[in-house]
Amino acid sequence: MNKHDLLKKHFGYDSFRPLQEQIINDVLEHKDLMVVMPTGGGKSMCFQLPSLMLDGITLVVSPLIALMKDQVDSLRANGITAGYFNSSQVGTEQQEMLQLLKENQLKLLYVAPESIQLLLQHLKPTDVSLIAIDEAHCISTWGGHDFRPAYTQLAYLKQSFPQASLIALTATADRATRADIKKQLAISHAQEYVASFDRPNLTLEVRPGNDRLAQVRRFLKKYKDDSGIIYCLSRKSCEKLADKLSSLGFSAAAYHAGLEHRFRESVQEQFIKDEIKIVCATIAFGMGIDKSNVRFVIHYNMPKNIEGYYQEIGRAGRDGIDAHALQFHSYADMIQLRNFAGDSGNSEVQIAKLERMKQFAEALTCRRRMLLSYFNEYLENDCGNCDVCLNKPDFFDATLITQKALSAVYRMKERASLNLLIDVLRGAQNASVIDSGFQSIKTYGAGRDISWNNWQQYIIQMINQGLLEIAFHEFNHLKLTPQAQAVLFEKQKVQLAVIPKPEELAARNAKAAQEALPSDINKDLYAGLRKLRMQIASQENLAPYMVFSDATLKDIASRIPLTIDEFEDITGVGKHKLDTYGESFLKLTQGFKMMREGDFIYRVVISKPKKKKKSGPKKDTVMESVKLYWAGKTLEEISEIRSLKVDTILSHLGKRYVSHKDVDLNAHISPEELAEIEPLYESYEKENALKPIFEKFNGKYSYGKLRLAMYLIEATTTVK
């Protein structure tokens, strides 16, 4: 079975996300890779799917002992044989896993880095075809978060299994961190794949930390039935906030490393299963949790760096549905975090990254552009979905000011920090300037007319817009980017935000606090689907999202499938889940469609239809597809235009062929394929079900091709 068929069968998707297919192709060609893909971007698919196509076992090294069972349960729910091996298992459980390994009953085996040595004696060099190092940033101290000492000893894996390819995966890693990861894993030659860090479904918002509890309480009212994470700086504040929210009627619990292991495990499990809605946690919580329906992440205190912030907000909206990332910040947060950074390894780098986080919190330019530029990705236009974009400040043409700053960086040979750059632009005569000799460059003193504080704000905006970047591993020197070249030499214009007065900033923050309630399609039907999902998950001891994601439920609520074929067309419904859960959910949607208003068991109400125009023919969905086909559009183009799957478009063309025989379908099914399928037409006609035929061919033909064949045979039979 090819990779696209496996993608649909086991994961329910019709197409890959950006970069996934290229990465999978390279893995299948036994290449070593370094993959940076944002949380929710589909990193796991890059090793899970190829594991099904490779002969040996895929070894997944993960630091997430507490979550391995959930990850394995999720794979098994998709019909994939997987297991885990770590110190949390009793001896008999480990022996059972080793027996499955010996009998070649596993395609993926998750293992903690500390437990690998126990496995080596049970694995021959030829047994392992792929090694996946998940959360690879744990190997490096450069990233400033989640460092795991045991990861630094993993280079021996390439020596122990020389025939296996190695893929290192992480959600966040700047250039210095990526280089460090590759060096320590002995894959310095590995090709890098860095996916887009843009998560447009996440609304980004930052507020001053005044009266945080009252602000959080108001914020949570619109998410009363949804899951979310609130990150706090200390264990004590986690417990205090969780207790306060519980007393206010919210479903909340604390999670931090100081709690007893069994209690942490219980909180985590209840959160995954939607039994607890809100977890107030330190950064010890969340890494690797594959929970797709987290609708919000709140940072009760300012994060210590952008890498950590990005990874933490990435735990919201993994299903692609709108989610909200709210961050509070205060001077007290900054002081406490600076003290933490001063006591850590690489303290100068960590303090510089903390300063960059502060700049993000106080930004006057689009937050998404700033976030992406930090990871060397450039957004041409403002995002329109952050608090700055939604409450835009005034801008002015700052091309000349920007050219002065960029020219100074160039003439200083990119060997100056932000503070030194400002001193040179303002013509300062302090020791730093004199000792460096920068008083002799042409742009020395070119910005005397601008105050030191305003220069600082303007340069930060230039960094935010991706014109400059900070090389943290080179003493925080400022570097020119390719975008800077366009401003210096190609007359590209630059706009910077006017520095607001304190009272104007306060008014902007107050306006940003105005919150709009989210809206859903068929809310009551969606609630019924969630209730059914919870019942099934409870019976099978699974997390609800392992049954179906929120995005899948919303697609069901919107389209209301009534047959197996229609249900198979829903986003996120693969063959395994179709067989396992399809009948139960169809009973619900069929009952919803058939019962009178007010009689439906979940008291759901179909959304009011739009008023029909008094004149004009009813829109014919089949003809909409046929007309586009006649106009020369490909199936893929029609699919994109109409927001329907290719199989659905094929079905429309088949229906038209039966009634009028005026569409040419030869390009979509060969005479040989038709001849192979035709003997089963009689059974299809009796049972009116494609599923048995699909299974008979073991997935060789898609449902769309089978349905098209049946229409063609029907048309031929009618003629006869």
Side-chain angles (χ1 to χ4, degrees):
M1 194 175 289
N2 65 40
K3 56 182 178 286
H4 289 92
D5 292 337
L6 289 169
L7 181 70
K8 180 60 180 174
K9 178 181 178 181
H10 291 288
F11 302 97
Y13 301 120
D14 292 298
S15 59
F16 289 102
R17 294 183 183 183
L19 294 185
Q20 281 182 334
E21 189 168 9
Q22 298 98 300
I23 293 168
I24 289 169
N25 287 340
D26 278 355
V27 169
L28 294 175
E29 291 178 9
H30 306 289
K31 295 180 181 179
D32 296 328
L33 302 174
M34 171 81 240
V35 174
V36 182
M37 194 172 280
T39 302
K43 292 189 298 298
S44 298
M45 186 72 72
C46 297
F47 59 83
Q48 287 177 352
L49 191 143
S51 74
L52 303 175
M53 303 178 71
L54 295 168
D55 292 333
I57 192 171
T58 292
L59 205 60
V60 185
V61 181
S62 170
L64 313 167
I65 291 177
L67 293 172
M68 285 185 186
K69 181 180 183 300
D70 297 314
Q71 292 167 329
V72 168
D73 284 346
S74 184
L75 285 166
R76 289 174 177 171
N78 284 330
I80 298 171
T81 56
Y84 64 94
F85 186 92
N86 62 48
S87 58
S88 71
Q89 295 168 305
V90 297
T92 54
E93 290 176 324
Q94 289 190 343
Q95 287 304 314
E96 287 174 9
M97 198 55 58
L98 291 174
Q99 187 61 32
L100 290 174
L101 186 62
K102 183 179 179 181
E103 296 171 358
N104 297 319
Q105 295 297 308
L106 298 172
K107 291 306 296 179
L108 292 108
L109 180 60
Y110 284 73
V111 58
E114 296 84 358
S115 302
I116 293 178
Q117 291 290 347
L118 299 174
L119 272 182
L120 288 182
Q121 58 185 309
H122 302 280
L123 288 168
K124 298 191 295 291
T126 55
D127 288 342
V128 179
S129 55
L130 173 62
I131 301 166
I133 310 295
D134 204 9
E135 309 294 351
H137 59 269
C138 293
I139 204 170
S140 177
T141 59
W142 282 107
H145 62 293
D146 303 322
F147 174 61
R148 185 80 166 257
Y151 263 61
T152 61
Q153 301 166 17
L154 295 178
Y156 68 84
L157 289 174
K158 282 297 291 182
Q159 299 170 354
S160 301
F161 305 103
Q163 295 181 2
S165 54
L166 190 148
I167 176 171
L169 306 105
T170 180
T172 51
D174 57 18
R175 288 175 181 170
T177 305
R178 296 199 297 270
D180 193 28
I181 290 170
K182 293 199 297 182
K183 179 182 177 182
Q184 294 205 47
L185 289 175
I187 55 167
S188 297
H189 60 283
Q191 180 178 343
E192 292 187 13
Y193 281 99
V194 182
S196 172
F197 283 80
D198 194 9
R199 292 283 303 283
N201 64 313
L202 285 183
T203 298
L204 306 178
E205 181 181 5
V206 181
R207 300 183 192 174
N210 308 324
D211 199 11
R212 292 179 219 212
L213 181 60
Q215 291 196 65
V216 168
R217 183 181 180 181
R218 289 194 297 270
F219 179 88
L220 292 178
K221 283 184 178 179
K222 67 176 182 178
Y223 291 107
K224 60 181 180 179
D225 296 322
D226 293 309
S227 296
I229 304 170
I230 304 178
Y231 285 105
C232 303
L233 202 52
S234 70
R235 299 174 181 182
K236 185 176 179 180
S237 58
C238 287
E239 294 179 3
K240 188 175 179 181
L241 181 59
D243 289 344
K244 188 63 179 175
L245 291 177
S246 296
S247 71
L248 293 171
F250 295 101
S251 171
Y255 183 106
H256 58 74
L259 296 172
E260 186 183 350
H261 175 72
R262 286 180 298 175
F263 184 81
R264 293 202 311 271
E265 221 172 38
S266 173
V267 170
Q268 189 167 273
E269 184 177 350
Q270 290 179 79
F271 179 67
I272 287 172
K273 293 184 177 180
D274 287 345
E275 295 166 4
I276 290 175
K277 295 297 184 183
I278 302 166
V279 173
C280 302
T282 59
I283 59 170
F285 180 81
M287 186 168 62
I289 286 184
D290 191 21
K291 182 176 169 65
S292 63
N293 62 336
V294 175
R295 295 270 68 83
F296 63 88
V297 167
I298 299 174
H299 282 89
Y300 203 68
N301 306 96
M302 190 171 74
K304 63 181 179 180
N305 56 47
I306 289 179
E307 288 95 336
Y309 168 76
Y310 184 84
Q311 188 173 54
E312 285 147 20
I313 65 172
R315 286 157 194 158
R318 296 182 65 166
D319 51 13
I321 300 173
D322 290 347
H324 202 124
L326 171 63
Q327 180 202 145
F328 293 102
H329 74 99
S330 68
Y331 181 72
D333 291 343
M334 187 68 183
I335 296 300
Q336 189 172 2
L337 288 166
R338 182 175 281 274
N339 290 335
F340 290 162
D343 296 334
S344 67
N346 284 341
S347 60
E348 290 185 6
V349 171
Q350 302 315 320
I351 289 172
K353 291 194 172 191
L354 173 60
E355 186 63 33
R356 193 77 188 101
M357 189 71 241
K358 178 175 178 285
Q359 293 167 5
F360 175 85
E362 298 173 350
L364 296 173
T365 49
C366 171
R367 296 198 196 278
R368 197 177 314 275
R369 290 183 75 178
M370 175 180 180
L371 203 56
L372 295 179
S373 71
Y374 184 87
F375 295 107
N376 309 114
E377 184 177 346
Y378 305 102
L379 195 65
E380 187 173 345
N381 299 309
D382 290 349
C383 74
N385 194 28
C386 70
D387 57 323
V388 176
C389 287
L390 296 171
N391 302 274
K392 279 188 176 294
D394 293 326
F395 288 89
F396 70 101
D397 185 342
T399 305
L400 182 59
I401 289 174
T402 304
Q403 287 173 335
K404 288 179 180 179
L406 299 181
S407 176
V409 171
Y410 176 78
R411 294 175 188 279
M412 295 161 80
K413 299 182 179 178
E414 300 180 311
R415 291 188 291 110
S417 65
L418 187 148
N419 289 353
L420 182 56
L421 172 61
I422 297 172
D423 285 344
V424 170
L425 286 167
R426 285 183 44 76
Q429 298 183 14
N430 56 38
S432 297
V433 174
I434 303 302
D435 291 347
S436 63
F438 290 146
Q439 74 275 19
S440 61
I441 67 172
K442 188 175 181 180
T443 43
Y444 175 74
R448 285 191 177 90
D449 56 326
I450 298 174
S451 71
W452 203 98
N453 286 335
N454 278 12
W455 261 125
Q456 182 185 46
Q457 289 290 330
Y458 292 148
I459 293 170
I460 288 171
Q461 290 185 52
M462 295 174 204
I463 298 170
N464 294 348
Q465 291 188 28
L467 301 173
L468 293 167
E469 63 179 341
I470 302 173
F472 293 108
H473 57 302
E474 294 182 28
F475 308 104
N476 306 320
H477 289 165
L478 294 175
K479 305 287 184 180
L480 297 171
T481 69
Q483 285 67 30
Q485 305 295 326
V487 176
L488 281 173
F489 306 114
E490 299 171 21
K491 299 181 180 180
Q492 181 173 302
K493 298 290 184 182
V494 177
Q495 286 204 325
L496 298 179
V498 176
I499 311 300
K501 297 176 182 177
E503 59 272 18
E504 293 172 342
L505 191 59
R508 193 193 77 172
N509 288 331
K511 186 179 178 183
Q514 300 297 318
E515 300 158 356
L517 291 174
S519 60
D520 292 316
I521 299 171
N522 289 333
K523 284 185 178 180
D524 294 325
L525 174 56
Y526 177 59
L529 292 166
R530 289 182 69 178
K531 185 174 180 180
L532 174 60
R533 178 180 67 176
M534 179 64 82
Q535 290 172 348
I536 293 173
S538 179
Q539 290 167 5
E540 299 190 5
N541 195 29
L542 292 173
Y545 69 85
M546 292 181 186
V547 178
F548 286 126
S549 70
D550 282 5
T552 297
L553 294 190
K554 289 192 176 184
D555 199 22
I556 295 171
S558 174
R559 297 164 65 179
I560 317 178
L562 301 178
T563 67
I564 283 288
D565 289 349
E566 290 175 349
F567 196 84
E568 191 264 344
D569 202 40
I570 295 293
T571 299
V573 177
K575 182 181 182 301
H576 184 77
K577 290 189 176 181
L578 179 71
D579 294 343
T580 308
Y581 309 121
E583 186 177 345
S584 298
F585 280 87
L586 276 175
K587 284 181 180 177
L588 182 65
T589 55
Q590 289 165 351
F592 169 76
K593 193 78 171 178
M594 293 171 63
M595 289 188 180
R596 296 178 181 176
E597 184 176 348
D599 290 341
F600 186 55
I601 190 169
Y602 292 106
R603 296 172 63 196
V604 294
V605 180
I606 300 176
S607 300
K608 292 181 180 179
K610 295 179 180 179
K611 291 183 179 179
K612 296 179 181 178
K613 295 180 180 179
K614 292 183 179 180
S615 60
K618 182 180 178 181
K619 197 171 185 179
D620 186 336
T621 186
V622 170
M623 280 308 298
E624 290 292 314
S625 299
V626 172
K627 286 177 182 177
L628 290 169
Y629 188 72
W630 283 341
K633 301 291 184 184
T634 65
L635 296 180
E636 289 73 20
E637 287 171 341
I638 301 171
S639 170
E640 185 174 350
I641 292 168
R642 301 213 58 207
S643 298
L644 296 172
K645 293 188 176 182
V646 169
D647 281 359
T648 304
I649 305 303
L650 276 173
S651 178
H652 290 171
L653 299 181
K655 286 181 181 178
R656 178 70 185 186
Y657 186 85
V658 170
S659 61
H660 290 78
K661 299 181 181 60
D662 55 1
V663 288
D664 183 5
L665 301 176
N666 292 329
H668 308 300
I669 187 166
S670 69
E672 292 78 17
E673 290 172 329
L674 198 60
E676 189 175 16
I677 296 170
E678 187 170 10
L680 299 174
Y681 176 74
E682 189 174 341
S683 63
Y684 167 77
E685 195 174 26
K686 288 178 181 178
E687 299 179 22
N688 194 28
L690 283 175
K691 182 181 173 185
I693 300 172
F694 180 88
E695 290 177 345
K696 186 174 181 63
F697 285 113
N698 197 26
K700 177 181 179 181
Y701 299 117
S702 69
Y703 276 94
K705 181 157 285 191
L706 290 173
R707 197 177 291 114
L708 181 63
M710 297 309 165
Y711 280 129
L712 289 171
I713 297 165
E714 179 187 347
T716 306
T717 305
T718 303
V719 171
K720 290 177 181 178

